Amino acid sequence: MIVARPEEFAGVVADAVESLVRRRPTPVLGLATGSSPLPVYDELVRRHGRGGLSFAATTAFLLDEYVGLPFDHPESYRAVIEREFTGRVDFDQQRVHGPDGQDTDLHAACAAYEAAIVEAGGIDLQLLGVGGDGHIGFNEPGSSLASRTRLKTLTAQTRLDNARFFDSLDAVPRHVLTQGVGTILEARHLVLVATGEVKAAAVASLVEGPVTAFFPASALQLHPHVSVVIDEPAAGQLRLADYYREAYAGKPPWQTL
Ligand code: F6R
């Protein structure tokens, strides 16, 4: 879906999250960090503040985590998501899970994370951003499309992109734990958000390019229920943009994301 106005973007995604959270007694959300979902989190915080929207019964699973950063490090994804979203609403922090990048046995930590997702009944709605190189979670190019939660090495470009959150490039960890592409594909609804011209090439590859491990986000084409929510600049390289606009404009009212 291509939204015409930037304000519309957060509302459309927040509607999908709100509808899930109101519908399911124990909803399970998959949360992404990074800049792309921030307007969505702000909108959900507003809806919580206006009263009515409660996350008290919601369980959350993060996509990924740096290896070696303590939970109380401001850039650990557990700290980031608490600061940006879960700590600003009534989430029970015990229900907010991330892969444990500090475990002395990282294999066991990844297996435990997969088991925790299954134990919670699977993820109902997974929010995703996309890296310029096609990564989802931290599944860098070359990631198996069947991969499960595991250790990955960040590319030099991803470390450079994320250096803006750290004091220096050297401070950006080289290793991460991430849900695998296969893990992500098991969520019941995937919602990928991307804004700005800087994401235009990645959006075109993920929506219209070939399915390839070299561009892991293209694996979303294999999922039965994916919503790609983007603004006009991010739609700049889509060949069928007019068709997508027309389809969204003519959408029957009962059809949600
Ligand atoms: C973050 C994550 C990453 C980001 C991606 C885009 O948990 O999994 O895949 O979604 O790096 O980041 P932004 O949104 O900052 O452009």
Side-chain angles (χ1 to χ4, degrees), residues 12 18 21 96 140 182 206:
V12 164
E18 176 165 1
V21 168
V96 181
E140 297 282 31
L206 92 90

Side-chain angles (χ1 to χ4, degrees), residues 32-37 63-64 77 129-131 135-138 164 199:
T33 47
S35 335
S36 306
L63 276 172
D64 38 22
Y77 280 175
V130 60
H135 69 239
I136 45 170
F138 273 136
R164 67 191 192 277
K199 291 291 167 78

Side-chain angles (χ1 to χ4, degrees), residues 233-245:
Q237 294 187 32
L238 286 169
R239 279 173 292 172
L240 288 186
D242 285 344
Y243 169 63
Y244 308 139
R245 284 191 200 94

Side-chain angles (χ1 to χ4, degrees), residues 129-180:
V130 60
D133 63 0
H135 69 239
I136 45 170
F138 273 136
N139 295 284
E140 297 282 31
S143 290
S144 157
L145 301 187
S147 51
R148 312 302 308 187
T149 303
R150 68 214 184 290
L151 179 82
K152 287 295 287 182
T153 302
L154 295 179
T155 62
Q157 185 60 51
T158 300
R159 291 186 65 240
L160 209 56
D161 289 346
N162 289 4
R164 67 191 192 277
F165 299 116
F166 290 83
D167 292 339
S168 68
L169 179 58
D170 279 347
V172 184
R174 288 178 189 280
H175 294 110
V176 290
L177 300 186
T178 180
Q179 284 188 34

